């Protein structure tokens, strides 16, 4: 009645593995061989990516990733948004930042977009998705915030971190938060060398603080049925690990309902800049149909 | 009184690493070199594996893994069980499924078996171990359920998932649960391409629902002293992450008492089919003495 | 006002990735290529490491790691401490063990030390840091205990493990704890072969039990501002996983305040001996400025 051992002719069976062209006892080698050649042969479905960076960054954060994605035939946009890059409006609020990206997507008449948000960019993915849901094919959150309806960003930080940020805001002249280098080095670029961390830090500018305290209306976001993915890097120490109240994964990712999950090694900031090929590959896997 | 720095002649020291035959500054390369050659030289203790698949699958799930294990000299059985594969009894219950595997083990007079269960197959590992404990050398749970005594499978799903399954059962004509493709694609095959997920889905058949609601008598299981291992793939999103109430690891694995733990990257379903060499290797590491 | 897509001339951009010298569709290969050559070119800042082993070990635990670090130009010491190695004082207490290391650091007039503690060695990192803080540049905890002020080591084990240890102490003649082989094999060397585990076990000696019940005064430790790192291996099953009360990470690591986090695969004991190049590399990344 039952068949008792695998039959190579059955479904599920990968024909390529049936008579492997490599000797016995060579599992790891064969795995490298197969994964690389599979990758070499792989035809990727062309995707239109819109990449939204996070705080203390600008759109150049995506340069390396975008270059790798374009090499694979994808169309990649990394729009800048209010209060960042060339725009130095320090009182930029969340609605202005959202509008920058909405204007960009509508202005370029983009459709079937895979919208990727990193870190704070996740909250913009939420609000942009509310604004132009019909133009978006999939949402990808990459070590990104996903706020509850009516929540403000500050609530996602433990009280001592909130207090530290308040103090930095007070000491600024323009309602901004400048990330201290030790925090940037230890928690954002923990896998980089000191020299690399210093190089990246030279591009860090004070972050507009207004969105830190804005409660977002996200009712519509939680009614959207756009498919969504979460990409988590395991050495990201910007939010607490293993807490039921805080953290990237599973605390944020759990808010997505049914979602596609991907995980890799990496820290919050430097892995994207130092290993852009890996991040590009995982964003493709997160973003494809 | 103390010796103050490592002495290459001491114990623990791996002779091969004492005078590495590769240049300085080549850690990663040397690691690849060593791990591969160590693997090439490795003599594996021959194991008798009995592999038990999970729900929405049949024994062909193991084809690739079995092929790799056999190449390494192991004896591999992947018995089919009631309600699966060629047997279309949709009212098959847990006792019938258990009996299929017990009959197979006794019929073939298998001994010193390493019994591996994937997913729902974990509950069969529990009941088969109760039935023929003397024939089993080690239990291996691979992203598998491990139920408490008196528990039913349904209790291991969060209430919304339970409700969804109930609804699917109601809509079936034969007390079965057919996995909707979007769920299969996003949570079972999240690392696969759409094309691969579709290919795997063509083999998915409605799962008999009876075991979903059967409370299992597992008193004897929790008195057994057979050694046990848990293999966990970190991107398996079929059960919730980071919950104290649900999840593969550590929620299920904690029920094993002293156990051997192994972890790798991978999702619930497609990694076994797409990277069978890796899974075969990890099952060997989980199953050896 | 904004620039809309990455500009290769911008900051953050890694020049090397701008015009990759390898063909399209070769991400994994290129990543290996880059990571290896980057490593080959990498100039490491020379560090003075002092490596403190854990229980059931002696300083030879570090032999492989030390050899790799020295090849990279670092200065490495692995001082033995009271009750371990050639010193068989079974009533050695925590203060004596601390003093061994303090004497070694002062006797050799070491400065700018990166002090690494593995397992129980973490508690010695804490007390040595209290004794000679000005000689230490960074603390590195590697799957290591970090006790609260006034805590004893025993409190970091779940009650059943505490009870098992008490029973082992009672059955010893000299207030020591001998690790039973099955526990060593399944929970300390879970990634090793049986033969390797047996080989390592031949060097395991009964551990002085006094520090198990000593409450440590760690007030000064928690006032120190020496930078600190935590290196966690994901298959380390010596302490429970996913518990808010027990475990290496995040339970212990959370006690460090702001710290640099690194993670890799590996078990508690055998990975350091079997893949010392990997551990050496991660300790360098944990220990550099």
């Amino acid at each position: 009645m039952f068949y008792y051992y695998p039959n190579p002719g059955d479904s599920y069976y990968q024909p390529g593995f049936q008579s492997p062209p490599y000797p016995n006892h060579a599992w790891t080698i064969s795995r490298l061989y197969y994964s690389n050649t599979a990758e070499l042969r792989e035809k990727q479905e062309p995707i239109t990516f819109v990449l939204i960076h996070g705080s203390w960054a600008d759109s150049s954060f995506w340069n390396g990733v975008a270059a790798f994605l374009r090499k694979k035939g994808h169309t990649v946009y990394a729009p800048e948004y209010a209060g960042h890059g060339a725009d130095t409006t320090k009182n930029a609020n969340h609605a202005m930042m959202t509008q920058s990206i909405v204007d960009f997507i509508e202005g370029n008449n983009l459709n079937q977009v895979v919208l990727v948000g990193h870190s704070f960019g996740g909250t913009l993915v939420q609000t942009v998705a509310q604004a132009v849901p019909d133009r978006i094919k999939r949402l990808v959150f990459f070590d990104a915030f996903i706020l509850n309806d009516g929540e403000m960003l500050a609530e996602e930080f433990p009280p001592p971190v909130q207090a530290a940020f308040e103090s930095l805001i007070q000491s600024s002249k323009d309602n901004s938060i400048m990330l201290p280098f030790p925090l940037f080095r230890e928690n954002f670029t923990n896998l980089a060398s000191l020299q690399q961390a210093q190089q990246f830090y030279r591009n860090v500018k004070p972050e507009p603080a207004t969105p830190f305290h804005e409660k977002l209306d996200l009712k519509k976001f939680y009614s959207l049925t756009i498919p969504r993915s979460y990409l988590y890097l395991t050495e990201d120490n910007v939010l607490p690990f293993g807490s039921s109240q805080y953290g990237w994964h599973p605390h944020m990712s759990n808010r997505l309902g049914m979602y596609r999950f991907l995980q890799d090694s990496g820290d919050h900031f430097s892995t994207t800049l130092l290993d852009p090929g890996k991040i590009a590959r995982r964003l493709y896997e997160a973003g494809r149909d």
Side-chain angles (χ1 to χ4, degrees), chain A residues 122-137:
Chain A
T123 70
L124 294 168
V125 165
Q126 294 184 282
T127 51
V128 169
Q130 293 188 137
V132 289
D134 296 344
R135 292 181 178 275
I136 301 173
K137 194 162 85 160

Side-chain angles (χ1 to χ4, degrees), chain A residues 8 10 31 39 48-49 60 65-66 90 93 101 132 143 149 159 167 174 185 189 200 206 212 219 243 255 265 267 272:
Chain A
D10 287 344
R31 181 154 57 91
E39 209 172 314
T48 300
F49 283 101
S60 68
V65 168
K90 284 301 166 202
N93 64 21
I101 299 164
V132 289
D143 281 12
D149 177 43
S167 159
D174 53 2
R185 197 273 172 281
T189 57
F200 301 150
F212 199 66
K219 275 180 214 66
S243 158
R255 297 176 172 178
S265 60
D267 64 24
T272 302

